[in-house]
Amino acid sequence: MSEKNRDGKRTARERLAVEREKQKAAEKRRRTLIVGASVVCVLGLAAVIGVVAANSGKNKSSSSAGPVVAPSGAQGKDGLAIPVGKDGARSTLTVWEDFRCPACQAFEAAYRPTLHELTDAGKLRIEYHLVRLIDGNLGGTGSLRAANAAACAQDAGKFRDYHDTLYANQPKETDDAFATNAKLITLAGKVSGLDTPAYRRCVDGGTHDSWVNRSQKAFQSGGFTGTPTVLLGGKNIYQDQSMTPAKLKQMVEAADRG
């Protein structure tokens, strides 16, 4: 083999090695970004237990805040699921979420148009489970207060609109603005017909606080580790890096066709 050919092969091998290193570096950056986005709202179980215990004597909204009152139309085990969509839909999406959670807001922003389209068409039913994960991780009561306010909106038949309004006006994760009932009632004014005396009594009285706490316990005992947890057919599609709104729509429409 000529010296020229040997140099050419050596150069090709070197270029290939450099390209492989570039690909490895790009894949490492991709994994880092995925992990970073996925752990925004992760359950620190010891922190949750410690903070809730520490606050139980301070806040009226503790786990002993009165009887468990499920919102109107709640379904599932212990009445912990707020349904959106028709009961006869062939696909059911189960969503565990926290209104203070930025990852939940990101999911909603990306998937909301598709979820609305599919539920309005009767092809998808969503079961929302409201939890107070961020309250435990960062302290405060904004997750609880917002979840109670959303449950009160369910009593008024306005859950989906208020649910979307909360995410559209979500404060920074470290800002416990949702802990103020007045803030939540002000946001209710953005939903036609929601801000009524009955709604205000429900929000100010913490009618569904114990129900939210029960949902939080179900979240922990279910072995879930972060929000949002989004299940379709028992599979957490939020962890599927290939999932997109378009792919979800295809899956639901395929199931609807049978």
Side-chain angles (χ1 to χ4, degrees), residues 26-78:
E27 178 63 19
K28 184 177 180 180
R29 286 195 300 270
R30 188 185 74 86
R31 287 197 300 267
T32 300
L33 288 172
I34 289 171
V35 171
S38 299
V39 300
V40 172
C41 304
V42 174
L43 173 62
L45 184 56
V48 171
I49 294 173
V51 172
V52 172
N55 289 337
S56 63
K58 302 176 185 178
N59 299 322
K60 185 177 79 171
S61 307
S62 69
S63 58
S64 59
V68 175
V69 180
S72 176
Q75 299 178 359
K77 184 179 179 182
D78 295 327

Side-chain angles (χ1 to χ4, degrees), residues 211-234:
W211 175 81
V212 177
N213 286 324
R214 175 172 286 184
S215 184
Q216 174 66 27
K217 290 180 180 178
F219 176 79
Q220 292 173 348
S221 63
F224 304 122
T225 57
T227 53
T229 293
V230 186
L231 308 174
L232 182 67

Side-chain angles (χ1 to χ4, degrees), residues 142-196:
S143 300
L144 173 63
R145 299 265 47 80
N148 173 68
C152 294
Q154 170 67 11
D155 290 338
K158 304 283 186 178
F159 173 78
R160 189 173 85 168
D161 288 345
Y162 189 65
H163 166 277
D164 294 351
T165 297
L166 286 174
Y167 280 120
N169 294 273
Q170 185 190 70
K172 291 182 179 180
E173 186 179 16
T174 53
D175 180 1
D176 199 24
F178 282 169
T180 305
N181 287 336
K183 171 70 172 178
L184 298 168
I185 291 172
T186 296
L187 291 176
K190 296 178 178 290
V191 178
S192 178
L194 179 56
D195 185 6
T196 64

Side-chain angles (χ1 to χ4, degrees), residues 3 6 32 37 51-52 59 76 87 92 114-115 129 145 150 160 163 167 200 208 244:
E3 185 68 26
R6 281 196 297 269
T32 300
V51 172
V52 172
N59 299 322
D87 290 342
T92 298
T114 299
L115 297 182
H129 296 259
R145 299 265 47 80
R160 189 173 85 168
H163 166 277
Y167 280 120
R200 292 187 174 213
H208 302 295
T244 63

Side-chain angles (χ1 to χ4, degrees), residues 37 40-41 93-98 101-116 124 126-128 163-164 167 170 227-232 235-240 243-245 248:
V40 172
C41 304
L93 195 71
T94 301
V95 180
W96 294 82
E97 63 179 8
D98 183 325
C101 168
C104 296
Q105 183 194 47
F107 172 79
E108 285 293 328
Y111 282 81
R112 182 182 299 126
T114 299
L115 297 182
H116 281 193
L124 178 68
I126 306 175
E127 294 183 348
Y128 287 101
H163 166 277
D164 294 351
Y167 280 120
Q170 185 190 70
T227 53
T229 293
V230 186
L231 308 174
L232 182 67
K235 180 182 178 181
N236 190 344
I237 65 169
Y238 185 72
Q239 294 178 342
D240 180 355
M243 185 60 62
T244 63
L248 175 61

